[in-house]
Amino acid sequence: MVSGKHTGVAPKRQRNSSIELLRLVSMLMIVGFHYVRGGNQGLWIASQPISFNKFVYQMIYMSGGWIGNFIFFTISVWFLLDRCETLNDSLKRIWLLERELLFWSLTLLVVTYFLHKQGLYTGSMLSITAKSIFPISLNMWWYPTSYALFLLFMPFLIQGVHALGENAHKKLAIACLVLWGVLSLIPKFAFDLTESSVFVFIYWFVLIAYYRWYMEPFTTRRCWQLIGVGFAVVLLYWAVTNTLFMMTGKMAKMQSFIFDHWKLPMMMIGFGLFLLVERREFHNRIINVMAASAFGVYLIHFQPAIYQAWTHYLGVPKMYTSSMPILMGALTIVGVFFACLLLDMVRQLLFALTIDRHKGRGYERMRAAWVAIVHRRSQRQTVENR
């Protein structure tokens, strides 16, 4: 059984700043990934001759995207696995998530109208307006939609996977690793896991939960081995695909295959980094405040109109062909990251002065009203049955 006694949403604990710092670094890696992959920029960089600059753009700037995604999810779920989470807890978390999504989707919608008038956004205004009003339901951003669905399923997943027991859970984890870890390293072997969706999080949950509940903690040496093996596989794949492209001029897209989606080497690197950081605790209020806006960085820089605009004006071809391509690429990624971070810290301050003064009160009032309605209907039916 999961240890601990349920008392509603778990009491607020002082956050480990080493994990919060890792959260920030993970989002920086995600920004780098989106920058190099933006539009057809991933194909453009893949079509360039092999060089040290290309190595940096692909192996450093682009490779961290799904490492960051895996770390971000692991941080989110790690501390929930040993709590007696209820459906009510999950719904409250979704409610709090939705507030931030709505703030940025509607705020950035205003910016989108301006960009559209200036001809800087060419997408459908009807579509993006609808998505901005219903950001989770219409999948404005894949990650929060999938995460909200995962939160909805999580209490049942925890109970169900726990009920399997250690042996069955191990077999399930092995099956997942073979299908979507080892075999997915072969191009076209997707086994129906072809899109970024909630099922990715369920897959990761099965693996993380097994380690968290049943395995002996990895030693520091084992963590570094995990990172080293993952990096070695990525480096080998990069060298082979670039060599093949240099010799044949074909299969340029294959260069980014190993960096995309839920590839096992990226998960190995991400999990090793998380475990190394998780065991080293310190507390810094500034880092914690900044990290609270890490998710906002994702929402701002990856909103369709904003993403189209900044990857156009600060595009990879412009920076890569400049006199200092590595420096200019790094400055672009870091600049976009900190600009979005500062914007969301303003949002964080506005929330602190307004709706976060009594965080979650709106949800509790709505729930209380619903419970009262259900109770009255139940009483009415009881009277009628008499």
Side-chain angles (χ1 to χ4, degrees):
M1 295 293 291
V2 179
S3 60
K5 186 177 180 180
H6 177 62
T7 56
V9 175
K12 191 172 181 180
R13 51 170 283 175
Q14 190 173 14
R15 290 181 291 162
N16 182 355
S17 297
S18 64
I19 291 179
E20 299 307 307
L21 184 59
L22 181 63
R23 192 193 302 270
L24 287 167
V25 173
S26 298
M27 187 52 64
L28 179 63
M29 291 192 290
I30 291 170
V31 173
F33 174 80
H34 288 155
Y35 174 57
V36 179
R37 286 295 303 275
N40 286 321
Q41 293 183 152
L43 183 58
W44 184 91
I45 199 76
S47 302
Q48 303 307 305
I50 191 169
S51 65
F52 181 69
N53 290 338
K54 185 178 182 181
F55 174 84
V56 171
Y57 270 71
Q58 289 186 319
M59 279 294 296
I60 298 178
Y61 296 165
M62 185 172 70
S63 68
W66 278 86
I67 297 174
N69 279 333
F70 184 78
I71 290 174
F72 223 82
F73 177 76
T74 302
I75 292 173
S76 300
V77 76
W78 185 260
F79 301 102
L80 300 178
L81 286 172
D82 287 342
R83 299 178 186 175
C84 294
E85 291 290 306
T86 66
L87 181 59
N88 181 55
D89 296 333
S90 291
L91 290 174
K92 187 172 183 178
R93 294 180 194 280
I94 295 170
W95 171 275
L96 296 176
L97 173 66
E98 176 77 357
R99 299 180 317 158
E100 186 174 352
L101 297 184
L102 278 173
F103 177 88
W104 280 121
S105 64
L106 295 176
T107 300
L108 296 177
L109 179 62
V110 176
V111 180
T112 300
Y113 280 119
F114 172 78
L115 293 174
H116 184 70
K117 281 189 174 182
Q118 300 299 316
L120 302 176
Y121 175 63
T122 57
S124 167
M125 287 305 303
L126 180 61
S127 174
I128 200 168
T129 299
K131 288 183 177 182
S132 297
I133 297 172
F134 304 102
I136 288 182
S137 301
L138 296 182
N139 203 22
M140 169 70 89
W141 299 275
W142 84 267
Y143 192 103
T145 294
S146 298
Y147 185 63
L149 289 171
F150 174 78
L151 286 175
L152 188 64
F153 299 149
M154 184 178 64
F156 311 106
L157 287 170
I158 290 176
Q159 291 182 38
V161 175
H162 249 302
L164 290 175
E166 181 178 357
N167 189 47
H169 192 166
K170 179 191 290 186
K171 292 177 181 177
L172 176 62
I174 292 172
C176 290
L177 273 177
V178 171
L179 287 174
W180 300 306
V182 178
L183 294 180
S184 70
L185 294 175
I186 304 172
K188 306 298 184 181
F189 280 42
F191 293 101
D192 210 31
L193 191 59
T194 57
E195 299 293 335
S196 302
S197 71
V198 65
F199 201 74
V200 177
F201 291 160
I202 295 174
Y203 162 45
W204 287 351
F205 164 81
V206 169
L207 303 180
I208 296 168
Y210 182 77
Y211 175 88
R212 183 84 161 111
W213 291 338
Y214 302 117
M215 293 181 66
E216 288 293 324
F218 287 171
T219 63
T220 298
R221 182 180 180 183
R222 177 64 60 84
C223 292
W224 281 113
Q225 287 174 342
L226 204 63
I227 295 168
V229 171
F231 183 79
V233 173
V234 173
L235 181 60
L236 177 63
Y237 195 95
W238 179 88
V240 170
T241 53
N242 269 271
T243 301
L244 285 174
F245 176 74
M246 185 175 62
M247 295 173 63
T248 66
K250 299 178 180 180
M251 298 185 293
K253 288 184 178 180
M254 288 302 298
Q255 295 172 34
S256 61
F257 171 79
I258 197 67
F259 305 127
D260 203 5
H261 291 81
W262 37 90
K263 295 299 182 290
L264 182 59
M266 301 307 180
M267 293 162 56
M268 293 168 65
I269 295 170
F271 197 52
L273 288 172
F274 171 78
L275 292 177
L276 287 174
V277 168
E278 188 265 340
R279 63 191 59 175
R280 287 171 171 77
E281 185 164 351
F282 75 94
H283 303 282
N284 183 290
R285 189 165 181 267
I286 295 176
I287 290 175
N288 291 352
V289 170
M290 292 174 65
S293 286
F295 191 62
V297 174
Y298 173 86
L299 299 179
I300 299 168
H301 92 276
F302 205 47
Q303 193 264 9
I306 303 300
Y307 184 48
Q308 187 179 103
W310 75 268
T311 53
H312 171 74
Y313 281 107
L314 303 171
V316 167
K318 294 180 182 179
M319 303 306 162
Y320 192 83
T321 55
S322 68
S323 58
M324 296 180 290
I326 294 176
L327 177 62
M328 294 304 294
L331 288 176
T332 300
I333 294 167
V334 173
V336 169
F337 171 79
F338 276 106
C340 296
L341 186 70
L342 289 172
L343 286 173
D344 194 75
M345 289 177 71
V346 173
R347 189 275 314 163
Q348 191 181 155
L349 177 61
L350 290 174
F351 273 32
L353 295 175
T354 54
I355 59 177
D356 274 353
R357 294 178 66 181
H358 303 286
K359 196 170 183 178
R361 176 180 285 184
Y363 171 80
E364 295 298 343
R365 286 178 174 174
M366 183 179 68
R367 181 172 180 271
W370 173 253
V371 170
I373 292 171
V374 171
H375 181 66
R376 281 198 296 270
R377 289 187 62 184
S378 177
Q379 285 184 324
R380 190 181 304 124
Q381 289 177 351
T382 300
V383 172
E384 289 173 355
N385 289 335
R386 289 177 180 174

